[in-house]
Amino acid sequence: MHRDRPRYVIDRPAYNLPDFDGEFDKKSRQFPVREKVRKLFRCSVLRLKGLLFRHLPILSWLPKYKVRENLLCDVVSGVSAGYHSGMAFALLANLPPVNGLYSSFFPLIPYFFMGTAHQMVPASWGDGVCLRLAPESDFSHFNATLNATVVDTDLMNEVRLGISGTLACLTAVIQIGLGFMQFGFVAIYLSESFVRGFMTAAGLQILISVLKYIFGIQVPPYSGPLAVIYTLVDIIHTLGDTNIASLVFALVSSVVLIVVKELSARLPPQVVVATAISGPLHLPEIYHMDIVGEIPLGKAFPAPILPTVSQWEDMLSTAFSLAIVGYVINLAMGRTLAAKHGYDVDPNQEMLALGCGNFLGSFFKIHVICCALSVTLAVDNAGGTSQFASFCVMLVVMVTMLALGAFLKPLPKSVLGALIAVNLKNTLLQLSDPYYLWKKSKLDCCVWVVSFLATFFLSLPYGVAIGVSFSILVVIFKTQLVIASNLFVITPQVISITGVKIVNYCSPLYFANAEIFRQRVIKKTGLDPGKLILARRKFLEKEQKEKAKEEKKDNETRRRKPRFLVNMKKAQLELQHDFDMNEGTANKPEPPNSHVNIRCSDIEPGEQAPDQEPPSPTLESHPMPFHTLILDLAGVCFIDLMGIKVLLKMNSSYEMLGIKLYLANVQVQVYEELEVGGAFDDGNIDRSNLFLSVHDAVVFAQQTSGERHISSKVGPSTV
């Protein structure tokens, strides 16, 4: 049994847009440039307060912070992540672990006050600029005593740290400049599919990068496209040289960490245990394991240095790519965390926070920072809720530099590599995303795959560029695949309206799909006005040529007529003369004059008289299948000049055929764009052809259909 449905009855006049605006006294919106400039530079207490709260988010969340509920979780998560955050990620940058401690302390100070991602922990990340500007060969010399080439590691590290700080300063300048230029709009192009594909590839790259520490083998660092492939190939080739002790330490640390996490324990004892075991037993010396090394007390806080500005020219392209890629990584992880915990991330503020962190740290020889994937995930998994977690990370790093540095000397690097690998577990589980995305959206699945492959094989900067570009192309592709649909009137039955075609189109109308839109309308209506007009023009040209040919024949006939009559008269006289001569008798009475009467005509047989018009061929004008075409533009959110030109072309073509083109449900923004683009100028679309709704347009079309007559005669005026 059908339930009773609510019904509605509307009784109002049908309006086109000019009638509606006139009856209800429409006011035009005006935004003078002077007012905009005055509003932009207006200074007030409220505006100043808004700027402070925007650029110092700590003023917003700190007063609302719930100490009893969240403080313990933040402290525990920060302490657990702080043990390995700095030193572990310094390994990825091919710098000493102490550089990682600097990078995990100084940049966190500005980010604590300015960051908007609550669980975010910035740290250094790898890049090959230090290898390129300070290659190992520059610090190698032949030692005659040892009969071998020796590398001055201390000098090389010192030079690389200076280069790292200079690069961080240049990157900071770029990020701060982009932040004030509101570069955060790029966030709208970071789709979830792109973010997940990009983050998965980045996590897999990090995992491959730490495998050499887990296996305890020596693999040269690479940078640029296919660097991860070269690294993986070298790792496979050198697996025979695996340091069993390093591998055992890494496996045990991984198992302990996984078990501890599964049991919901907060503190990671593996760092302490590994250090306690490896130190007193002198395992690194016995088994030749690569260790963290000494962090001398008293040198933990280095003296500030000024960046070498003269090196900026060689670093500009690298700094710009690091600024963009670091920002994208930070924003991608920030948006993931924000969606999980229910808060918002300000894209422009994140750029400023990263820039200020890099700027402060650049005076202390840090490497460029961005989101530390494994550390941030460790904080989140441990229950961190605010920037207090990163503050605790900073405190742990400070204590490590001031007091615990010497005790961490025997810590194997394989343990740090294992910590990174285990914390990447959730990121690597996203490798199964394509399986689920393919079922839901094949285009989103393609975005994921392209972003992943480009990032994994070609490095992070290329991955960002290709992934974002492909995402934009997918958006354009989707707007081109929009299918126009015919609409019908809903009465007790769904019926079509005789003589009226209604086409709905749900997509922006711009240069990429304007012509596709026109073709879809032609397909749905079954009438191509351009082809019909062209056929009429060709027919008229053919008719004119035939008429000219007929006139030429008439002229030739008129020229032949006088000669034909003279020849006939002459022949008649000659026959008469011959007859008289043959008789030869002058006595006979002269016979009566006789002549041959030949009926002549101006037109030869088979031709028509000149005063009779030849029957001109005519093009049988079949009646048009409809007299009104209504375009429902409710789904069109903007239109550019190319879209306007297509509408004008369609209006002109249909008008030549006597068909009215109506626009219904035109959005305010689209109306203004049509007006500015000249769509309503003389000879173009009449404003009275715009209607509030499709129903208004249908009523007008039915009312005026009897007043219009579609001429079946083809003439120059119809072309």
Side-chain angles (χ1 to χ4, degrees), residues 582-699:
N582 290 334
E583 290 294 330
T585 59
N587 296 328
K588 290 183 178 180
E590 187 175 345
N593 292 331
S594 64
H595 62 274
V596 178
N597 187 8
I598 300 178
R599 187 178 181 85
C600 297
S601 174
D602 293 343
I603 306 298
E604 294 182 356
E607 295 183 4
Q608 296 179 350
D611 55 344
Q612 297 178 354
E613 290 292 334
S616 60
T618 59
L619 179 64
E620 294 293 336
S621 297
H622 298 285
M624 293 298 161
F626 55 91
H627 55 73
T628 304
L629 171 62
I630 301 173
L631 298 180
D632 181 10
L633 303 184
V636 178
C637 57
F638 76 89
I639 184 171
D640 67 355
L641 287 178
M642 184 63 70
I644 294 174
K645 287 183 179 179
V646 166
L647 285 181
L648 295 180
K649 179 180 178 181
M650 294 174 62
N651 180 71
S652 175
S653 301
Y654 286 115
E655 190 175 5
M656 291 180 183
L657 300 177
I659 298 175
K660 282 289 186 179
L661 177 65
Y662 290 164
L663 307 180
N665 291 322
V666 180
Q667 305 294 331
V668 175
Q669 177 182 341
V670 176
Y671 179 83
E672 292 176 352
E673 290 169 346
L674 287 171
E675 189 173 30
V676 174
F680 305 130
D681 293 346
D682 294 339
N684 295 332
I685 299 175
D686 194 336
R687 294 178 191 267
S688 61
N689 290 353
L690 274 67
F691 294 89
L692 298 181
S693 67
V694 173
H695 194 75
D696 287 289
V698 170
V699 172

Side-chain angles (χ1 to χ4, degrees), residues 119-158:
Q119 292 82 12
M120 187 74 67
V121 180
S124 58
W125 63 296
D127 185 78
V129 66
C130 294
L131 301 177
R132 188 174 67 252
L133 297 181
E136 187 176 293
S137 59
D138 292 351
F139 306 95
S140 303
H141 63 277
F142 183 78
N143 190 313
T145 304
L146 299 176
N147 194 26
T149 301
V150 179
V151 178
D152 190 344
T153 306
D154 294 337
L155 178 60
M156 181 180 67
N157 289 337
E158 185 65 26

Side-chain angles (χ1 to χ4, degrees), residues 112-345:
F112 176 72
F113 294 96
M114 302 178 65
T116 59
H118 297 171
Q119 292 82 12
M120 187 74 67
V121 180
S124 58
W125 63 296
D127 185 78
V129 66
C130 294
L131 301 177
R132 188 174 67 252
L133 297 181
E136 187 176 293
S137 59
D138 292 351
F139 306 95
S140 303
H141 63 277
F142 183 78
N143 190 313
T145 304
L146 299 176
N147 194 26
T149 301
V150 179
V151 178
D152 190 344
T153 306
D154 294 337
L155 178 60
M156 181 180 67
N157 289 337
E158 185 65 26
V159 173
R160 286 184 175 179
L161 286 176
I163 294 174
S164 180
T166 302
L167 177 64
C169 185
L170 179 58
T171 304
V173 172
I174 295 174
Q175 288 178 330
I176 293 174
L178 292 177
F180 282 116
M181 293 171 59
Q182 304 295 303
F183 187 76
F185 75 89
V186 74
I188 63 177
Y189 300 109
L190 304 183
S191 65
E192 183 180 1
S193 301
F194 162 75
V195 168
R196 293 178 69 89
F198 177 83
M199 298 299 289
T200 305
L204 192 58
Q205 278 191 343
I206 293 173
L207 176 63
I208 294 175
S209 299
V210 300
L211 286 179
K212 61 182 180 181
Y213 300 108
I214 293 176
F215 288 100
I217 55 181
Q218 298 296 324
V219 175
Y222 297 98
S223 62
L226 301 180
V228 67
I229 302 300
Y230 298 144
T231 301
L232 189 59
V233 170
D234 286 350
I235 290 174
I236 294 174
H237 288 166
T238 55
L239 280 179
D241 302 329
T242 299
N243 189 305
I244 302 300
S246 295
L247 181 60
V248 170
F249 264 90
L251 292 177
V252 171
S253 300
S254 300
V255 172
V256 171
L257 181 59
I258 292 174
V259 171
V260 167
K261 284 191 173 186
E262 293 299 327
L263 295 177
S264 300
R266 301 297 185 184
L267 290 175
Q270 65 273 23
V271 172
V272 178
V273 174
T275 305
I277 294 176
S278 63
L281 298 180
H282 303 286
L283 295 180
E285 292 83 359
I286 297 174
Y287 296 103
H288 306 287
M289 293 165 37
D290 199 5
I291 60 175
V292 168
E294 185 177 0
I295 303 175
L297 297 178
K299 295 184 180 179
F301 282 108
I305 62 169
L306 292 177
T308 308
V309 180
S310 60
Q311 294 181 335
W312 281 6
E313 183 178 357
D314 299 328
M315 303 178 177
L316 185 59
S317 60
T318 301
F320 189 82
S321 65
L322 288 177
I324 300 300
V325 175
Y327 167 71
V328 170
I329 294 175
N330 217 67
L331 186 61
M333 179 55 74
R335 291 175 64 176
T336 302
L337 295 172
K340 179 179 179 181
H341 297 283
Y343 60 86
D344 294 324
V345 174

Side-chain angles (χ1 to χ4, degrees), residues 440-619:
K440 298 178 180 179
S441 173
K442 293 180 174 55
L443 286 178
D444 285 339
C445 182
C446 291
V447 171
W448 192 100
V449 172
V450 170
S451 302
F452 173 83
L453 294 178
T455 303
F456 182 75
F457 288 104
L458 301 180
S459 75
L460 300 183
Y462 289 103
V464 171
I466 295 175
V468 172
S469 300
F470 188 77
S471 300
I472 296 174
L473 289 178
V474 166
V475 173
I476 296 174
F477 186 62
K478 285 182 177 179
T479 63
Q480 292 178 331
L481 284 182
V482 173
I483 300 176
S485 57
N486 289 328
L487 299 184
F488 304 92
V489 173
I490 299 179
T491 59
Q493 294 180 345
V494 178
I495 61 173
S496 59
I497 306 169
T498 304
V500 178
K501 288 285 186 178
I502 310 171
V503 179
N504 172 267
Y505 196 74
C506 297
S507 172
L509 192 56
Y510 64 116
F511 68 93
N513 67 348
E515 187 60 27
I516 296 176
F517 162 76
R518 190 180 70 87
Q519 294 295 335
R520 294 284 166 83
V521 172
I522 291 173
K523 182 179 179 181
K524 288 296 178 181
T525 58
L527 175 66
D528 189 342
K531 289 184 178 180
L532 183 56
I533 292 173
L534 181 62
R536 288 189 172 186
R537 286 178 177 173
K538 289 182 177 180
F539 182 83
L540 287 175
E541 292 176 359
K542 181 179 179 181
E543 184 184 41
Q544 291 174 356
K545 289 181 180 179
E546 291 180 354
K547 188 174 182 180
K549 184 177 180 181
E550 294 293 337
E551 292 178 352
K552 183 177 180 181
K553 286 183 178 180
D554 292 345
N555 293 335
E556 290 179 356
T557 302
R558 292 189 184 95
R559 286 196 302 268
R560 286 198 302 267
K561 175 183 175 181
R563 291 198 303 267
F564 180 78
L565 293 176
V566 170
N567 291 337
M568 292 297 296
K569 187 68 175 177
K570 183 177 180 181
Q572 180 181 357
L573 294 174
E574 289 179 353
L575 287 173
Q576 184 67 34
H577 180 266
D578 291 342
F579 178 80
D580 293 340
M581 291 296 294
N582 290 334
E583 290 294 330
T585 59
N587 296 328
K588 290 183 178 180
E590 187 175 345
N593 292 331
S594 64
H595 62 274
V596 178
N597 187 8
I598 300 178
R599 187 178 181 85
C600 297
S601 174
D602 293 343
I603 306 298
E604 294 182 356
E607 295 183 4
Q608 296 179 350
D611 55 344
Q612 297 178 354
E613 290 292 334
S616 60
T618 59
L619 179 64

